[in-house]
PDB file of all heavy atoms in Angstrom:
ATOM      1  N   GLY J  65     248.397 141.617  72.565  1.00 97.00           N
ATOM      2  CA  GLY J  65     249.380 142.142  71.614  1.00 97.00           C
ATOM      3  C   GLY J  65     248.955 143.454  70.984  1.00 97.00           C
ATOM      4  O   GLY J  65     249.771 144.169  70.416  1.00 97.00           O
ATOM      5  N   GLU J  66     247.666 143.804  71.134  1.00 98.00           N
ATOM      6  CA  GLU J  66     247.179 145.065  70.547  1.00 98.00           C
ATOM      7  C   GLU J  66     247.260 146.227  71.538  1.00 98.00           C
ATOM      8  O   GLU J  66     246.841 147.349  71.233  1.00 98.00           O
ATOM      9  CB  GLU J  66     245.717 144.886  70.101  1.00 98.00           C
ATOM     10  CG  GLU J  66     245.569 143.926  68.918  1.00 98.00           C
ATOM     11  CD  GLU J  66     244.105 143.697  68.550  1.00 98.00           C
ATOM     12  OE1 GLU J  66     243.221 144.275  69.246  1.00 98.00           O
ATOM     13  OE2 GLU J  66     243.860 142.943  67.592  1.00 98.00           O
ATOM     14  N   TYR J  67     247.801 145.942  72.744  1.00 98.00           N
ATOM     15  CA  TYR J  67     247.823 146.980  73.786  1.00 98.00           C
ATOM     16  C   TYR J  67     249.259 147.358  74.160  1.00 98.00           C
ATOM     17  O   TYR J  67     250.196 146.595  73.927  1.00 98.00           O
ATOM     18  CB  TYR J  67     247.042 146.491  75.020  1.00 98.00           C
ATOM     19  CG  TYR J  67     245.540 146.494  74.774  1.00 98.00           C
ATOM     20  CD1 TYR J  67     244.913 145.402  74.193  1.00 98.00           C
ATOM     21  CD2 TYR J  67     244.786 147.620  75.073  1.00 98.00           C
ATOM     22  CE1 TYR J  67     243.554 145.415  73.933  1.00 98.00           C
ATOM     23  CE2 TYR J  67     243.415 147.646  74.817  1.00 98.00           C
ATOM     24  CZ  TYR J  67     242.813 146.544  74.245  1.00 98.00           C
ATOM     25  OH  TYR J  67     241.458 146.571  73.977  1.00 98.00           O
ATOM     26  N   ASP J  68     249.358 148.578  74.754  1.00 98.00           N
ATOM     27  CA  ASP J  68     250.671 149.081  75.190  1.00 98.00           C
ATOM     28  C   ASP J  68     250.897 148.924  76.683  1.00 98.00           C
ATOM     29  O   ASP J  68     252.029 149.012  77.166  1.00 98.00           O
ATOM     30  CB  ASP J  68     250.767 150.581  74.851  1.00 98.00           C
ATOM     31  CG  ASP J  68     250.574 150.835  73.368  1.00 98.00           C
ATOM     32  OD1 ASP J  68     251.420 150.353  72.589  1.00 98.00           O
ATOM     33  OD2 ASP J  68     249.547 151.464  72.992  1.00 98.00           O
ATOM     34  N   LEU J  69     249.775 148.741  77.418  1.00 98.00           N
ATOM     35  CA  LEU J  69     249.829 148.638  78.879  1.00 98.00           C
ATOM     36  C   LEU J  69     248.727 147.679  79.331  1.00 98.00           C
ATOM     37  O   LEU J  69     247.651 147.639  78.718  1.00 98.00           O
ATOM     38  CB  LEU J  69     249.584 150.020  79.525  1.00 98.00           C
ATOM     39  CG  LEU J  69     250.653 151.086  79.299  1.00 98.00           C
ATOM     40  CD1 LEU J  69     250.009 152.475  79.261  1.00 98.00           C
ATOM     41  CD2 LEU J  69     251.721 151.027  80.393  1.00 98.00           C
ATOM     42  N   LEU J  70     248.991 146.978  80.430  1.00 98.00           N
ATOM     43  CA  LEU J  70     248.008 146.040  80.980  1.00 98.00           C
ATOM     44  C   LEU J  70     247.982 146.207  82.494  1.00 98.00           C
ATOM     45  O   LEU J  70     249.056 146.258  83.127  1.00 98.00           O
ATOM     46  CB  LEU J  70     248.420 144.593  80.636  1.00 98.00           C
ATOM     47  CG  LEU J  70     247.588 143.466  81.239  1.00 98.00           C
ATOM     48  CD1 LEU J  70     246.162 143.485  80.686  1.00 98.00           C
ATOM     49  CD2 LEU J  70     248.243 142.118  80.942  1.00 98.00           C
ATOM     50  N   ILE J  71     246.770 146.349  83.069  1.00 98.00           N
ATOM     51  CA  ILE J  71     246.669 146.408  84.539  1.00 98.00           C
ATOM     52  C   ILE J  71     245.505 145.538  85.014  1.00 98.00           C
ATOM     53  O   ILE J  71     244.544 145.299  84.288  1.00 98.00           O
ATOM     54  CB  ILE J  71     246.467 147.849  85.070  1.00 98.00           C
ATOM     55  CG1 ILE J  71     245.145 148.450  84.625  1.00 98.00           C
ATOM     56  CG2 ILE J  71     247.650 148.739  84.681  1.00 98.00           C
ATOM     57  CD1 ILE J  71     244.846 149.812  85.282  1.00 98.00           C
ATOM     58  N   ILE J  72     245.652 145.038  86.254  1.00 98.00           N
ATOM     59  CA  ILE J  72     244.575 144.319  86.941  1.00 98.00           C
ATOM     60  C   ILE J  72     244.657 144.687  88.413  1.00 98.00           C
ATOM     61  O   ILE J  72     245.768 144.822  88.968  1.00 98.00           O
ATOM     62  CB  ILE J  72     244.667 142.787  86.723  1.00 98.00           C
ATOM     63  CG1 ILE J  72     243.500 142.067  87.438  1.00 98.00           C
ATOM     64  CG2 ILE J  72     246.017 142.251  87.158  1.00 98.00           C
ATOM     65  CD1 ILE J  72     243.393 140.579  87.101  1.00 98.00           C
ATOM     66  N   GLY J  73     243.518 144.893  89.039  1.00 98.00           N
ATOM     67  CA  GLY J  73     243.477 145.312  90.438  1.00 98.00           C
ATOM     68  C   GLY J  73     243.224 144.148  91.368  1.00 98.00           C
ATOM     69  O   GLY J  73     243.286 142.980  90.970  1.00 98.00           O
ATOM     70  N   GLY J  74     242.920 144.510  92.611  1.00 98.00           N
ATOM     71  CA  GLY J  74     242.719 143.490  93.640  1.00 98.00           C
ATOM     72  C   GLY J  74     241.255 143.096  93.782  1.00 98.00           C
ATOM     73  O   GLY J  74     240.365 143.743  93.234  1.00 98.00           O
ATOM     74  N   GLY J  75     241.035 142.017  94.515  1.00 97.00           N
ATOM     75  CA  GLY J  75     239.678 141.538  94.751  1.00 97.00           C
ATOM     76  C   GLY J  75     239.666 140.528  95.874  1.00 97.00           C
ATOM     77  O   GLY J  75     240.646 139.817  96.095  1.00 97.00           O
ATOM     78  N   GLU J  76     238.573 140.497  96.617  1.00 96.00           N
ATOM     79  CA  GLU J  76     238.446 139.475  97.655  1.00 96.00           C
ATOM     80  C   GLU J  76     238.263 138.102  96.996  1.00 96.00           C
ATOM     81  O   GLU J  76     238.045 138.008  95.779  1.00 96.00           O
ATOM     82  CB  GLU J  76     237.287 139.809  98.588  1.00 96.00           C
ATOM     83  CG  GLU J  76     237.516 141.080  99.398  1.00 96.00           C
ATOM     84  CD  GLU J  76     238.899 141.119 100.096  1.00 96.00           C
ATOM     85  OE1 GLU J  76     239.492 140.045 100.352  1.00 96.00           O
ATOM     86  OE2 GLU J  76     239.407 142.213 100.333  1.00 96.00           O
ATOM     87  N   ASP J  77     238.339 137.056  97.835  1.00 96.00           N
ATOM     88  CA  ASP J  77     238.305 135.695  97.290  1.00 96.00           C
ATOM     89  C   ASP J  77     237.125 135.474  96.346  1.00 96.00           C
ATOM     90  O   ASP J  77     237.264 134.844  95.292  1.00 96.00           O
ATOM     91  CB  ASP J  77     238.244 134.660  98.441  1.00 96.00           C
ATOM     92  CG  ASP J  77     239.580 134.514  99.154  1.00 96.00           C
ATOM     93  OD1 ASP J  77     240.473 135.352  98.947  1.00 96.00           O
ATOM     94  OD2 ASP J  77     239.718 133.549  99.936  1.00 96.00           O
ATOM     95  N   ARG J  78     235.948 136.020  96.694  1.00 96.00           N
ATOM     96  CA  ARG J  78     234.781 135.740  95.834  1.00 96.00           C
ATOM     97  C   ARG J  78     234.950 136.367  94.447  1.00 96.00           C
ATOM     98  O   ARG J  78     234.541 135.780  93.442  1.00 96.00           O
ATOM     99  CB  ARG J  78     233.485 136.198  96.509  1.00 96.00           C
ATOM    100  CG  ARG J  78     233.349 137.680  96.688  1.00 96.00           C
ATOM    101  CD  ARG J  78     232.017 138.088  97.352  1.00 96.00           C
ATOM    102  NE  ARG J  78     232.057 139.499  97.706  1.00 96.00           N
ATOM    103  CZ  ARG J  78     232.652 139.964  98.810  1.00 96.00           C
ATOM    104  NH1 ARG J  78     233.207 139.109  99.659  1.00 96.00           N
ATOM    105  NH2 ARG J  78     232.700 141.271  99.069  1.00 96.00           N
ATOM    106  N   GLU J  79     235.564 137.554  94.397  1.00 97.00           N
ATOM    107  CA  GLU J  79     235.784 138.162  93.071  1.00 97.00           C
ATOM    108  C   GLU J  79     236.835 137.364  92.298  1.00 97.00           C
ATOM    109  O   GLU J  79     236.741 137.190  91.081  1.00 97.00           O
ATOM    110  CB  GLU J  79     236.235 139.624  93.223  1.00 97.00           C
ATOM    111  CG  GLU J  79     235.130 140.615  93.556  1.00 97.00           C
ATOM    112  CD  GLU J  79     235.045 140.907  95.046  1.00 97.00           C
ATOM    113  OE1 GLU J  79     235.952 140.498  95.780  1.00 97.00           O
ATOM    114  OE2 GLU J  79     234.054 141.541  95.468  1.00 97.00           O
ATOM    115  N   GLN J  80     237.834 136.884  93.035  1.00 98.00           N
ATOM    116  CA  GLN J  80     238.863 136.109  92.355  1.00 98.00           C
ATOM    117  C   GLN J  80     238.274 134.823  91.766  1.00 98.00           C
ATOM    118  O   GLN J  80     238.607 134.426  90.646  1.00 98.00           O
ATOM    119  CB  GLN J  80     240.005 135.776  93.326  1.00 98.00           C
ATOM    120  CG  GLN J  80     240.838 137.002  93.719  1.00 98.00           C
ATOM    121  CD  GLN J  80     241.827 136.667  94.800  1.00 98.00           C
ATOM    122  OE1 GLN J  80     241.453 136.501  95.966  1.00 98.00           O
ATOM    123  NE2 GLN J  80     243.099 136.582  94.454  1.00 98.00           N
TER     124      GLN J  80
END
Side-chain angles (χ1 to χ4, degrees):
E66 292 176 359
Y67 287 87
D68 302 296
L69 293 148
L70 174 66
I71 65 173
I72 181 171
E76 294 311 336
D77 286 13
R78 66 179 170 279
E79 283 97 10
Q80 290 173 286

